């Protein structure tokens, strides 16, 4: 007849092995879960930056054209309406810029600030604003890890919509 310790040693070994295996599997699962969560957070942050960069550039181009319309318009009610439109679009740019401060590296924030300064400048210098928007686009592309373009599609910078919008 077997003694109690002859039976308890294999049982204890089995329990210890099972416990150790479960602990190692739990550690590995936690490591995988943590790595996946970090990748998802980085992806969400990149998507948020990408969206903010696109919104900022779009609003900056709209504000630039509105400021140009205002600068070229004759005095009167239409000029006041265009001034209000341009001011509203510039304000939207600064709201997006505030979000960029938290989402983006300093280079992109500084480039966006230069766009805002150009939009608020008096007298308005269209070429200065275009150059600032190009610099912002380049900084944003670099932050997102996108390659530089030999010739960026700038039709939105050059096409001017009707002032009645």
């Amino acid at each position: 007849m077997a003694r109690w310790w002859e039976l308890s040693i294999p049982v204890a070994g089995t329990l210890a092995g099972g416990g150790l295996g479960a602990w190692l599997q739990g550690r590995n699962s936690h490591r995988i879960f943590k790595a996946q969560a970090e990748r998802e957070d980085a992806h969400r942050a990149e998507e948020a930056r990408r969206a903010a960069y696109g919104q900022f550039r779009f609003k900056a181009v709209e504000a630039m054209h509105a400021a140009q319309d205002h600068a070229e318009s004759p005095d009167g009610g239409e000029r006041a309406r265009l001034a209000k439109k341009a001011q509203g679009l510039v304000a939207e740019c600064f709201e997006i810029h505030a979000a960029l401060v938290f989402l983006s590296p300093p280079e992109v924030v500084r480039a966006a600030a230069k766009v805002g300064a150009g939009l608020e400048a008096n007298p308005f210098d269209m070429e200065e604003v275009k150059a600032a928007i190009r610099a912002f686009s380049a900084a944003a592309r670099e932050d997102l890890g996108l390659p530089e373009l030999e010739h960026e599609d700038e039709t939105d910078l050059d096409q001017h919509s009707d002032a009645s919008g």
Side-chain angles (χ1 to χ4, degrees):
M1 183 158 165
R3 301 223 160 100
W4 68 271
W5 62 83
E6 292 172 345
L7 296 175
S8 62
I9 292 174
V11 170
T14 302
L15 290 174
L20 180 63
W23 179 74
L24 289 173
Q25 185 176 8
R27 265 187 45 193
N28 190 42
S29 294
H30 177 72
R31 183 185 56 79
I32 290 171
F33 177 77
K34 185 177 176 183
Q36 182 179 1
E38 288 172 358
R39 279 192 308 271
E40 288 173 359
D41 288 346
H43 180 71
R44 274 193 295 273
E46 182 179 341
E47 287 301 313
R49 285 194 324 271
R50 183 183 304 263
Y53 295 165
Q55 289 173 349
F56 183 83
R57 188 178 191 287
F58 180 77
K59 290 296 179 184
V61 170
E62 277 190 343
M64 176 186 70
H65 289 307
Q68 181 184 21
D69 290 342
H70 173 258
E72 294 173 352
S73 67
D75 289 335
E78 182 67 11
R79 185 172 175 88
R81 185 188 71 78
L82 291 172
K84 186 175 181 179
K85 177 182 176 184
Q87 290 169 351
L89 290 167
V90 170
E92 289 181 43
C93 283
F94 279 105
E95 287 175 15
I96 298 168
H97 179 265
L100 291 177
V101 169
F102 296 104
L103 294 172
S104 306
E107 299 80 29
V108 177
V109 175
R110 279 192 293 272
K114 287 180 182 176
V115 172
L119 290 171
E120 287 193 317
N122 192 6
F124 177 73
D125 183 355
M126 179 77 136
E127 292 308 313
E128 179 184 325
V129 175
K130 283 183 180 182
I133 291 172
R134 285 185 198 102
F136 170 78
S137 295
R141 291 184 71 77
E142 183 177 333
D143 176 45
L144 294 172
L146 300 174
E148 290 185 30
L149 298 176
E150 287 182 29
H151 179 70
E152 186 173 352
D153 180 17
E154 296 180 348
T155 54
D156 61 338
L157 292 178
D158 296 325
Q159 288 179 347
H160 195 333
S161 63
D162 187 345
S164 63

